[in-house]
Amino acid sequence: MRALSIVNPAGSRIASGRKTIEVRRWRPDLPPGEDLLIVENGRFLMEDGDEDPDGRVVAIVRVGAVRPWTADDLEASCATGFEAGWLAWELYDVRPVTSATPVLAARRLYDLTLPADARIGAALESPWPARR
């Protein structure tokens, strides 16, 4: 499964439904409707090749529209300030995941197998329309 690492507490905010927009400078290379595993880790991965072996899976999501991020998106992205030039990834079909198994957190999108002990919860209500 494709995975995206997100620094704590943003991953948990996605899993709880509080954060419905992820903000990045790049567009994800995902087919419409593909599941994306959210991995929360404890530090920013700044350089190509940076990894953190102590990540934890927190959610499975789908990415809908990818569009310019606006100041109106601050609350949905749980951001404290706005800077033009970023992209807003609208997250929908959010399913919380729990697992006691540490997983690898890496930069950008990467492949990761869902841990065997992972438990997937029911989808949360989303402000974004489902994209199929």
Side-chain angles (χ1 to χ4, degrees):
M1 177 180 291
R2 303 297 285 159
L4 178 70
S5 67
I6 298 180
V7 175
N8 180 329
S12 296
R13 289 177 178 159
I14 289 170
S16 72
R18 181 171 170 220
K19 179 177 167 64
T20 59
I21 291 179
E22 175 59 12
V23 180
R24 299 283 167 139
R25 288 206 183 269
W26 50 278
R27 187 172 296 275
D29 183 21
L30 293 169
E34 181 175 330
D35 284 339
L36 178 64
L37 185 61
I38 301 298
V39 175
E40 187 173 70
N41 63 304
R43 64 182 177 84
F44 288 100
L45 305 175
M46 304 297 288
E47 308 267 334
D48 285 342
D50 276 357
E51 296 179 340
D52 181 350
D54 296 320
R56 64 184 187 99
V57 296
V58 294
I60 296 173
V61 304
R62 292 188 176 155
V63 178
V66 177
R67 57 175 174 75
W69 186 51
T70 68
D72 291 339
D73 295 322
L74 282 172
E75 184 176 346
S77 57
C78 295
T80 56
F82 174 75
E83 179 184 333
W86 292 76
L87 296 173
W89 301 10
E90 294 178 359
L91 306 178
Y92 74 99
D93 197 15
V94 175
R95 290 147 286 159
V97 176
T98 56
S99 169
T101 305
V103 297
L104 180 71
R107 282 182 47 85
R108 300 197 59 106
L109 295 181
Y110 60 102
D111 292 317
L112 187 69
T113 301
L114 193 62
D117 70 338
R119 298 291 175 257
I120 302 169
L124 304 176
E125 190 172 323
S126 171
W128 314 115
R131 311 269 198 263
R132 304 233 188 268

